[in-house]
Amino acid sequence: MITKLPYKLIFVLPSILIVLLIIYANNKGPIVYAPIGVMISAIAALTAATVTIKSNRHTFMQTNSLAYRQSLQEDEQYNLSLRKVKEAIINRFETPIEKYADESKIITKDEKETLFAIRYVLNTWEQTALSCRHHLYDEYHLYQSHKTMVIELGIYFRQFIHETQLIRNNPDIFNNFTWLVLHWTIRRDDFVSTQTKKELVMVYKQLNSVKAGKLPKRHHKLKKFRYK
């Protein structure tokens, strides 16, 4: 879609085309002045319309993003769940996070509350990622305010997500959230440089298998992923 092009290209490409049309008109003479003039006017009008649409769309996404951030701050259940999730991360050496993927092993009230919190937080960001992919939210705007938390969630809960996909035999579970984590991780580039290339190749292989509707193998090298 033309509105996805950077502003620079939106202006540069029509300018090049107009220059070529002018050169062509000079070579052909007055006989083509009228049709070339109409074409140049049409190109200028299309460029202006594209810039306006792109600007309005960007404003729309930013407005949605600001409203979303506000709603997230006011969502009491999300904030309660986030605190519970942080507790699960702190206690992950006593109770592995991937344990919560198997609901049959969740017995106590506290475990059930933790599982609910994990699902609530991950589902919230799954929907957010989906909205970003469909350009309803300004993804970079949210990246600037939530990158650290989202990347950490992706790292600490990657095995939980993987086990959940296997248990439910559904590779699409939290697929958009995984995309968002990978996208923001690459942008931030906080991983050990020598490790990054090898691990990202593995991540892409995992995502490709998900695209094909296949589940990744249970034991994979992502277990060795290191975060600074």
Side-chain angles (χ1 to χ4, degrees), residues 5-219:
L5 292 173
Y7 280 107
K8 186 176 181 180
L9 283 180
I10 291 175
F11 285 110
V12 168
L13 294 177
S15 298
I16 293 172
L17 185 56
I18 288 172
V19 169
L20 293 174
L21 287 172
I22 291 173
I23 293 172
Y24 176 79
N26 288 335
N27 290 334
K28 294 297 182 180
I31 193 171
V32 298
Y33 285 174
I36 292 297
V38 172
M39 291 176 66
I40 290 175
S41 298
I43 292 171
L46 179 61
T47 301
T50 302
V51 170
T52 301
I53 293 172
K54 184 176 178 67
S55 178
N56 290 341
R57 185 177 183 180
H58 185 66
T59 302
F60 167 77
M61 289 193 298
Q62 282 197 323
T63 301
N64 284 351
S65 299
L66 288 169
Y68 170 75
R69 287 180 60 191
Q70 184 65 30
S71 68
L72 207 60
Q73 291 175 357
E74 296 173 354
D75 187 341
E76 293 183 8
Q77 184 59 62
Y78 174 79
N79 290 307
L80 287 171
S81 297
L82 194 59
R83 285 196 286 271
K84 200 71 176 175
V85 163
K86 289 178 180 177
E87 289 177 12
I89 292 173
I90 292 172
N91 298 326
R92 67 189 183 279
F93 297 111
E94 298 174 9
T95 305
I97 292 175
E98 58 267 26
K99 172 189 173 181
Y100 295 100
D102 189 349
E103 201 164 355
S104 64
K105 296 179 181 178
I106 305 304
I107 301 172
T108 68
K109 179 182 178 182
D110 184 66
E111 288 175 339
K112 291 178 181 178
E113 289 177 351
T114 300
L115 175 59
F116 175 83
I118 292 171
R119 287 176 174 173
Y120 193 92
V121 171
L122 292 182
N123 280 324
T124 296
W125 282 102
E126 171 72 7
Q127 293 301 316
T128 304
L130 181 62
S131 296
C132 287
R133 297 186 81 168
H134 287 279
H135 307 288
L136 297 176
Y137 294 155
D138 186 337
E139 178 259 321
Y140 187 71
H141 177 89
L142 294 179
Y143 166 80
Q144 290 178 311
S145 56
H146 295 287
K147 59 181 177 293
T148 300
M149 184 195 68
V150 170
I151 291 174
E152 287 183 351
L153 286 174
I155 291 167
Y156 289 121
F157 287 91
R158 72 188 186 281
Q159 195 62 36
F160 168 86
I161 292 171
H162 181 59
E163 293 296 328
T164 302
Q165 290 173 339
L166 289 171
I167 291 170
R168 297 191 187 181
N169 194 30
N170 185 356
D172 293 327
I173 295 175
F174 301 122
N175 189 29
N176 293 296
F177 172 72
T178 301
W179 167 85
L180 189 67
V181 172
L182 177 61
H183 193 59
W184 287 6
T185 297
I186 293 171
R187 178 181 287 155
R188 183 170 176 175
D189 193 25
D190 266 355
F191 290 93
V192 181
S193 58
T194 55
Q195 183 81 349
T196 303
K197 291 182 181 179
K198 293 180 181 178
E199 298 296 353
L200 287 181
V201 167
M202 180 59 67
V203 171
Y204 277 118
K205 286 182 179 179
Q206 298 287 340
L207 290 180
N208 283 334
S209 68
V210 169
K211 280 186 177 180
K214 300 175 183 176
L215 284 165
K217 294 179 180 179
R218 183 179 294 274
H219 301 292

